Amino acid sequence: MKKSFFFCALFFVSLLHAEESLSKLLFGYFQNSSSLKELSEKVDKAILNTKSTKISNGMNIQLSTGTIAFNFGSGYCTFTPNASVGIPAARNLTFSASSNMTYDKDSFDTKNTSFGVAVDLYSGVKEQRDIALDKSARALLEAQRNLQNGFVDMETQFYTELKSIYETAQKIVTAQRSLYEHSLEFDQIKAQGYVATSSKYQLKQMEVESDRHDVDIYRRELERKTKVFAHECGVEYSVADAMEFLPAEIPSVDAVDVLAFEKEDFKKIESAVWTNKINSRTRAANKAVAISANAGYTFNNSTNAFMTNQRNFGDTIDMGSSLAWHSTGLKTTAGVSFPIWSDAFSPLFKLSFSLVPQKFRLAAIEKKVEGVDERLELIAIEAAEKDYDTSVVERQTSLEDIEWAAKTYKDSLETYSKIASDTAVWYQRGIITQSESRAAEVNKENYRIKTLINALDLIIYNNKTKTLFNRDEELNHDPKLPEED
């Protein structure tokens, strides 16, 4: 998977509901995000790790010259080369070859040249290899999921900051509405003939000045927040009024239904189930007993002298087996070498035993620990399922609140838009005062901003709902291990 393609694909998916001015800000916000770059690099690292794991758990080839000893004066040289090829996927099948070679000025001699093959009759090597590959593939999948959700989380953060700015703008409108209402009351007091020295006159005048002060404070706050936001988006801020910089509209989106996702894709459930499965496989792969067998042929075997009572070397057929009983710490190996081309036939037997007594006690404790681990994993699955039920209820009620508010704000905006239009005409005709006309206008603006905030709430709701679930079908990714270049 190419990082750049994946990065752009997810980005444009997230912009399906964005208009041009908003997409410019969002694109800049993404470009300035170091966290997205970090998540993208982690995907690249996970890809490299899967390739490394695949190589490490593939065919194992070892070549060695052994220790080379030589003397320039006599021309003497000796070394013991060896080679082996192991295939863990095929019951740990291993082919090996080794030899003792000696060279001097007059001769070249080889002894103990052997060829052998070994295989596990019963062990957990193949299962352990498969588990290592699956864990590596899982790490890659999780890195890609993190990048996928990183875009969604970054978009949520973008809209949350934008919402905070609109909320500050709403504070300005609220303060302006209070200013115009108190201004109307102040005009009435002046019309009633109260003098400037009267307490009622001064109290109302102070309320008007306090409202003007609040409007100025919120405007400065809006200016500061918008400048910071513009910087985060990498966009030049060169307007006189912050409201001229902010998008006038937020594109509408369809609500995401939490029940449209499969319960099995709920992140906590999927993670808990996967953890239980992989740990169960790991416990099963930890076999109590491992049995292996080997066979080979050795040319000029030095042990031939012990079998034939002859001083010369000879060829032998070699066979052996080993058994490891891990829970007891007992390990045994047995082997036999048969001389050939010899009249005095006497096989050579090899035996070895090792025992670690404390393994008896440790094995019992480890078995109990495994039991506790499994019960904890099942508890985690149960807790995740309860979290799913709670999340469904929380998401559904949140969406109901957002949709209810959307209808209320829409109706109120239509009503106050008509009132503002009518009062503008009445003010031109001299029927009402300027303060009354402005009060109607700010009521309209108040619900216009509430409508924008509600649209942002729905986008944020959708994003938070989506990130509760795995959405692997959106990934430009085959969950299997990637092929080597």
Side-chain angles (χ1 to χ4, degrees):
M1 185 195 70
K2 300 299 183 183
K3 175 180 66 176
S4 58
F5 179 84
F6 183 57
F7 192 99
C8 294
L10 281 178
F11 171 69
F12 286 110
V13 166
S14 69
L15 289 182
L16 291 178
H17 54 260
E19 64 179 8
E20 180 60 26
S21 60
L22 197 59
S23 66
K24 182 179 179 181
L25 294 174
L26 184 56
F27 181 76
Y29 198 83
F30 279 5
Q31 276 193 321
N32 287 344
S33 171
S34 58
S35 62
L36 289 180
K37 295 175 184 177
E38 180 182 356
L39 290 172
S40 183
E41 291 297 334
K42 286 183 177 180
V43 170
D44 281 354
K45 182 179 178 181
I47 291 174
L48 295 175
N49 285 338
T50 57
K51 292 182 178 181
S52 176
T53 302
K54 188 174 183 181
I55 292 172
S56 299
N57 289 273
M59 182 180 294
N60 298 323
I61 301 175
Q62 294 186 5
L63 302 173
S64 173
T65 64
T67 301
I68 301 174
F70 55 89
N71 183 282
F72 289 110
S74 63
Y76 173 84
C77 177
T78 180
F79 58 101
T80 56
N82 61 82
S84 66
V85 177
I87 310 174
R91 292 187 175 273
N92 207 24
L93 181 64
T94 303
F95 300 93
S96 61
S98 63
S99 181
N100 296 336
M101 297 183 177
T102 303
Y103 171 81
D104 57 28
K105 292 179 180 180
D106 300 322
S107 64
F108 177 76
D109 188 24
T110 61
K111 293 184 179 65
N112 296 324
T113 301
S114 65
F115 299 91
V117 60
V119 66
D120 287 349
L121 301 179
Y122 182 81
S123 74
V125 171
K126 182 181 182 301
E127 291 85 348
Q128 291 167 0
R129 170 189 177 274
D130 293 340
I131 290 169
L133 293 175
D134 288 346
K135 283 184 175 181
S136 178
R138 175 71 181 193
L140 172 57
L141 178 60
E142 290 183 351
Q144 291 173 322
R145 286 174 175 173
N146 290 338
L147 178 57
Q148 177 192 42
N149 286 330
F151 280 94
V152 180
D153 292 339
M154 188 58 59
E155 186 184 53
T156 300
Q157 185 176 320
F158 169 85
Y159 285 119
T160 301
E161 288 193 35
L162 187 58
K163 175 185 174 181
S164 176
I165 294 173
Y166 281 127
E167 287 173 341
T168 301
Q170 188 180 15
K171 291 179 182 178
I172 296 175
V173 173
T174 302
Q176 286 176 330
R177 182 173 59 189
S178 178
L179 171 62
Y180 297 142
E181 289 173 353
H182 287 153
S183 295
L184 285 172
E185 294 172 359
F186 189 39
D187 290 340
Q188 291 174 357
I189 288 175
K190 288 190 288 186
Q192 291 171 1
Y194 285 92
V195 295
T197 56
S198 66
S199 60
K200 193 168 185 177
Y201 185 100
Q202 290 178 348
L203 181 60
K204 191 57 63 177
Q205 185 180 37
M206 289 179 62
E207 289 179 348
V208 171
E209 291 301 323
S210 177
D211 290 339
R212 287 200 181 102
H213 182 64
D214 288 343
V215 170
D216 290 339
I217 289 176
Y218 293 137
R219 278 179 176 165
R220 292 179 66 86
E221 180 182 344
L222 177 64
E223 191 77 11
R224 176 181 57 80
K225 282 186 175 182
T226 307
K227 283 182 178 180
V228 172
F229 183 67
H231 177 74
E232 291 177 339
C233 296
V235 177
E236 182 180 358
Y237 182 81
S238 58
V239 295
D241 187 352
M243 293 303 293
E244 296 177 8
F245 175 85
L246 299 174
E249 294 182 358
I250 302 297
S252 60
V253 297
D254 294 329
V256 171
D257 182 6
V258 67
L259 295 179
F261 298 94
E262 297 293 336
K263 181 178 180 179
E264 293 76 13
D265 290 330
F266 188 66
K267 285 200 303 185
K268 291 183 178 180
I269 291 179
E270 191 273 344
S271 178
V273 169
W274 187 88
T275 299
N276 175 249
K277 285 183 177 179
I278 198 69
N279 287 346
S280 296
R281 288 174 58 193
T282 301
R283 289 188 285 266
N286 188 19
K287 307 290 187 183
V289 176
I291 304 173
S292 65
N294 61 81
Y297 189 95
T298 304
F299 298 91
N300 289 333
N301 194 340
S302 60
T303 60
N304 185 69
F306 298 100
M307 294 182 282
T308 61
N309 295 318
Q310 298 176 9
R311 303 183 68 84
N312 61 315
F313 291 6
D315 297 352
T316 60
I317 295 175
D318 310 304
M319 292 183 291
S321 65
S322 67
L323 181 147
W325 191 353
H326 300 300
S327 61
T328 63
L330 175 65
K331 184 174 182 180
T332 66
T333 61
V336 60
S337 294
F338 298 98
I340 59 176
W341 315 119
S342 174
D343 295 332
F345 179 82
S346 179
L348 179 69
F349 297 96
K350 299 177 183 179
L351 293 172
S352 72
F353 300 90
S354 65
L355 181 66
V356 183
Q358 60 265 36
K359 276 286 187 177
F360 284 101
R361 299 174 63 187
L362 290 175
I365 295 174
E366 289 170 358
K367 196 67 177 177
K368 292 180 180 179
V369 169
E370 288 182 355
V372 173
D373 288 340
E374 186 172 8
R375 291 195 293 274
L376 288 173
E377 291 160 11
L378 296 177
I379 291 173
I381 294 175
E382 182 181 352
E385 290 178 343
K386 290 181 180 179
D387 284 345
Y388 169 80
D389 294 335
T390 302
S391 296
V392 168
V393 174
E394 188 274 330
R395 291 287 85 191
Q396 289 177 328
T397 53
S398 295
L399 180 58
E400 289 172 359
D401 291 342
I402 292 172
E403 290 177 336
W404 175 84
K407 184 179 184 307
T408 301
Y409 296 155
K410 180 182 178 182
D411 294 342
S412 298
L413 179 59
E414 290 175 354
T415 300
Y416 281 108
S417 294
K418 185 177 185 307
I419 293 174
S421 178
D422 293 340
T423 54
V425 175
W426 297 338
Y427 171 66
Q428 290 177 354
R429 295 178 180 177
I431 300 176
I432 62 174
T433 65
Q434 185 182 40
S435 294
E436 290 175 308
S437 176
R438 287 179 174 175
E441 193 65 34
V442 296
N443 283 329
K444 169 190 170 183
E445 181 66 8
N446 180 44
Y447 280 97
R448 186 188 76 85
I449 295 177
K450 283 185 175 181
T451 301
L452 295 176
I453 293 174
N454 179 262
L456 292 174
D457 283 336
L458 182 55
I459 294 174
I460 294 170
Y461 162 84
N462 283 350
N463 286 350
K464 289 185 176 180
T465 301
K466 288 190 293 185
T467 54
L468 290 174
F469 297 86
N470 294 320
R471 307 174 312 285
D472 295 345
E473 68 281 357
E474 297 176 6
L475 295 173
N476 178 34
H477 158 66
D478 184 346
K480 297 179 181 178
L481 285 170
E483 296 296 326
E484 292 181 281
D485 295 335

